Amino acid sequence: MRFLTCFALTCSILFSVQSFAEEIKIFTWEDYISDTVIEKFEKQYGHTVSQVYFESEMLRDVVVYSGKALAYDLFIIDGLTIDELGREGILGDLSNVLEGDNSYFTDISRGVCGSYGIPYSNGTMGVAFRSSKATEGITSWMDVFDYALQNPQTVVIPDDDVDTIAIALLALGFDPMTENEVELAQAYKLLMKVRDQLLVMRAGTGYALDKRSASKMEVTVIYSGEKEQIASYTEQDDWTYTIPQEGTLMWHECFSVHKEKPVSKASIEFLNFINSPEIAAVNAEEMWFASSNRHVLDFATDEYLQDEELFPMALDNTSSFTYKTLSKEASDLRSQILTVIHNQK
């Protein structure tokens, strides 16, 4: 009788856990959340986490703007877009989701993500190159374009209506977020000059993941923390990351939700779990990005803390630029430039 009672109690507990278990669907970059962290969360809470990946911000934005993001409980979004979507009433308010003791974010990341996002990571845009191929190194943004002209079909740059144009603007010595039409016209000419010599316009990590050891990529524009992924995918250990002398764009990314998608209990538990300092440190080190959780610094290893790719020392106000909301006219012009680059023969 005692055995039956214990058996019934055990079954009741298991049934109760399963009844409250949920699936959390996340729309994110590939290799952006630690498998170790997800496994620990699933084991502790009983929920499951599934991920769907996007390769470019433009593709992600189409999903969010169209309302298809309702299929996801959480999605990763950059600081510039979160401001735009928040003002348009597309995103949900996450200001009361985290427990008080878990509000560990930097002032900058809190300001960028605002009430519509939970800070996740931050970093720089720079250049990765194979030291065995680009033996003279990459010191300026113009070096990327020169290398493409001198070594056709070896350079990969993003396919993005903000960052692709920004790369050319930086190479020409202009503000990467300029709205000056003359400067944008010069950026267009530079991109057109090099277009046919590029290996492809897409995320360098996406190309590396597709081609792996067959990769022909020697130089690519990436975001801090991605060098290790590229080296792993391609099985090439000579990749180096650098920030060119003209400076860089500083990025921030946040977890967000669609306004019409209620924030589930499981999603709230996941956001609190992943932002506890110890877990955030594991996540940041395994994924190798600069976490927006400032308490990660108290738990991270010296190797992580001293990595200049993640924490560049030489940047100052003259060499670090921030993303800003462009006027509709300037935004449309950048989109038109990218469209022409793709379609003009």
Side-chain angles (χ1 to χ4, degrees), residues 146-161:
D146 291 340
Y147 194 90
L149 294 172
Q150 296 163 10
N151 304 273
Q153 311 305 309
T154 63
V155 175
V156 174
I157 66 172
D159 184 13
D160 183 89
D161 53 1

Side-chain angles (χ1 to χ4, degrees), residues 31 78 130 327:
D31 280 343
D78 63 282
R130 294 192 64 189
S327 67

Side-chain angles (χ1 to χ4, degrees), residues 125-127 138-146 166-168 170-172 221-222 242-249:
M125 180 174 70
V127 181
I138 301 291
T139 60
S140 78
W141 286 102
M142 190 59 77
D143 287 345
V144 175
F145 295 91
D146 291 340
I167 294 162
L170 283 164
L172 294 164
V221 175
I222 63 170
T242 186
I243 298 173
Q245 61 193 14
E246 297 90 350
T248 182
L249 275 165

Side-chain angles (χ1 to χ4, degrees), residues 18-84:
Q18 292 172 354
S19 297
F20 289 103
E22 301 178 45
E23 180 184 18
I24 306 169
K25 295 181 179 180
I26 304 176
F27 195 37
T28 180
W29 302 102
E30 190 154 3
D31 280 343
Y32 209 35
I33 306 173
S34 159
D35 289 339
T36 300
V37 167
I38 288 176
E39 289 170 6
K40 287 183 177 181
F41 171 76
E42 291 178 334
K43 183 177 181 180
Q44 181 170 331
Y45 287 91
H47 306 306
T48 58
V49 176
S50 63
Q51 301 176 73
V52 175
Y53 307 118
F54 54 81
E55 188 179 305
S56 76
E57 292 181 344
M58 290 194 299
L59 293 175
R60 178 209 57 208
D61 293 349
V62 168
V63 171
V64 178
Y65 272 107
S66 68
K68 293 181 180 179
L70 284 166
Y72 306 107
D73 298 288
L74 299 167
F75 49 83
I76 289 288
I77 197 163
D78 63 282
L80 175 62
T81 308
I82 199 172
D83 180 58
E84 296 173 355

Side-chain angles (χ1 to χ4, degrees), residues 284-305:
E285 290 211 43
E286 289 201 2
M287 295 295 94
W288 212 253
F289 60 66
S291 174
S292 295
N293 188 319
R294 59 187 175 87
H295 285 281
V296 163
L297 303 179
D298 297 329
F299 294 88
T301 63
D302 288 341
E303 181 184 5
Y304 174 84
L305 298 174

Side-chain angles (χ1 to χ4, degrees), residues 38 47 72 75 107 113 116 119 130 137 206 236 240 244 260 286 291 307 316 319:
I38 288 176
H47 306 306
Y72 306 107
F75 49 83
D107 292 340
C113 296
Y116 299 110
R130 294 192 64 189
Q236 299 161 346
T240 298
E260 297 179 14
E286 289 201 2
S291 174
D307 189 299
D316 55 31
S319 58

Side-chain angles (χ1 to χ4, degrees), residues 267-327:
S267 295
I268 293 173
E269 290 172 340
F270 176 78
L271 290 171
N272 277 282
F273 178 82
I274 203 171
N275 279 301
S276 61
E278 298 93 334
I279 294 297
V282 170
N283 191 46
E285 290 211 43
E286 289 201 2
M287 295 295 94
W288 212 253
F289 60 66
S291 174
S292 295
N293 188 319
R294 59 187 175 87
H295 285 281
V296 163
L297 303 179
D298 297 329
F299 294 88
T301 63
D302 288 341
E303 181 184 5
Y304 174 84
L305 298 174
Q306 294 169 10
D307 189 299
E308 290 197 15
E309 178 184 349
L310 302 183
F311 307 103
M313 302 295 292
L315 291 179
D316 55 31
N317 292 334
T318 64
S319 58
S320 60
F321 300 88
T322 58
Y323 288 92
K324 65 180 181 181
T325 301
L326 299 168
S327 67

